[in-house]
Amino acid sequence: MSADATFKPWVKRYPGGAPDAPATLVFPHAGGAALAYRGLGTALAAAGSDAYVMQYPQRGDRLTHPAPDTVGELAADLFDAGDWAALGPLRLFGHCMGAVVAFEFARVAESKGIEVSSLWVSASEAPSTVAAAPALPMAESEIIAEMVDLGGTDPQLLADEDFVELLLMAVRADYAAFNRYGCDDDVRIAADIHTLGGDTDHRVSENMLRRWETHTSGAFTVSMFEGGHFYINDHTADVAELVHAL
């Protein structure tokens, strides 16, 4: 990392150790906090990347920060959190909604002349397909049912009223922004796009991942792992090695 680079304190950094370690920025799923990606950040650092895990408003140490109205505003908020130009070519990794946030972050970065070498898309529908998809739920009971269906959240935590209250605030903020999102088929970034998914994910299929190819003017790949929507929890080290290798 450049000695001149500065970042908001809520950007969680996991140093890769080498002075010239490439920067990998991690964008959590809807309702996800930076803490949930500590394992991936640590694995990326072990693989040789400088990992920077984003914290969205309405959770963790940004609990009182107002929620952006749109995914574009959220991406701009995250872009303004750091001196990304000082890090050289960036790698971006986003899981589920985080992949769309990362895509919009890449658009902002490229418009500012900052090179993004690759966007890693994990278990996410393509930007151009979001608007036609069913709206994400906003009612408490429906959100909880959605969390149970997707997996990735400890059922014991969902029985904790205080946890659920904070979770609902974060999820509603993210879902509201995502429900307003739209993107045309012909919107592209220069960065390569590499997609990853679980072979038993009942929400995001391999064919849905392949729709991302229309959004890059660079290279495109698809890699599938054993598991469901949160396959990444069982393959964290393998995913980190793959991201760092390209």
Side-chain angles (χ1 to χ4, degrees), residues 192-208:
D192 299 339
I193 293 181
H194 304 290
T195 61
L196 310 169
D199 59 6
T200 58
D201 185 349
H202 64 293
R203 293 298 188 93
V204 181
S205 66
E206 181 177 341
N207 286 338
M208 293 171 71

Side-chain angles (χ1 to χ4, degrees), residues 49-127:
S49 284
D50 261 351
Y52 299 80
V53 182
M54 301 296 163
Q55 185 81 293
Y56 302 160
Q58 303 281 284
R59 72 214 72 192
D61 44 1
R62 300 195 70 190
L63 190 62
T64 61
H65 291 196
D69 288 334
T70 66
V71 172
E73 289 176 11
L74 174 57
D77 170 75
L78 299 174
F79 181 83
D80 290 341
D83 181 15
W84 307 113
L87 300 185
L90 303 174
R91 295 176 177 140
L92 310 181
F93 180 98
H95 183 74
C96 200
M97 187 191 97
V100 178
V101 178
F103 176 75
E104 291 299 324
F105 184 101
R107 293 180 66 189
V108 175
E110 290 184 350
S111 73
K112 304 287 187 182
I114 299 173
E115 182 182 356
V116 178
S117 62
S118 57
L119 167 61
W120 290 84
V121 169
S122 174
S124 174
E125 57 195 307

Side-chain angles (χ1 to χ4, degrees), residues 10-32:
W10 43 261
V11 175
K12 311 304 180 185
R13 182 180 177 228
Y14 298 85
D20 58 347
T24 302
L25 282 56
V26 178
F27 298 79
H29 59 280

Side-chain angles (χ1 to χ4, degrees), residues 163-230:
F163 173 81
V164 168
E165 182 180 358
L166 294 175
L167 176 66
L168 288 172
M169 184 167 68
V171 172
R172 282 196 179 109
D174 295 345
Y175 279 10
F178 201 66
N179 283 339
R180 299 184 184 104
Y181 184 74
C183 180
D184 291 335
D185 283 334
D186 60 356
V187 175
R188 292 178 176 83
I189 57 176
D192 299 339
I193 293 181
H194 304 290
T195 61
L196 310 169
D199 59 6
T200 58
D201 185 349
H202 64 293
R203 293 298 188 93
V204 181
S205 66
E206 181 177 341
N207 286 338
M208 293 171 71
L209 290 173
R210 291 189 180 279
R211 295 288 297 274
W212 276 90
E213 187 171 8
T214 64
H215 292 296
T216 177
S217 56
F220 177 80
T221 65
V222 179
S223 300
M224 302 300 293
F225 291 82
E226 290 184 358
H229 193 67
F230 281 92

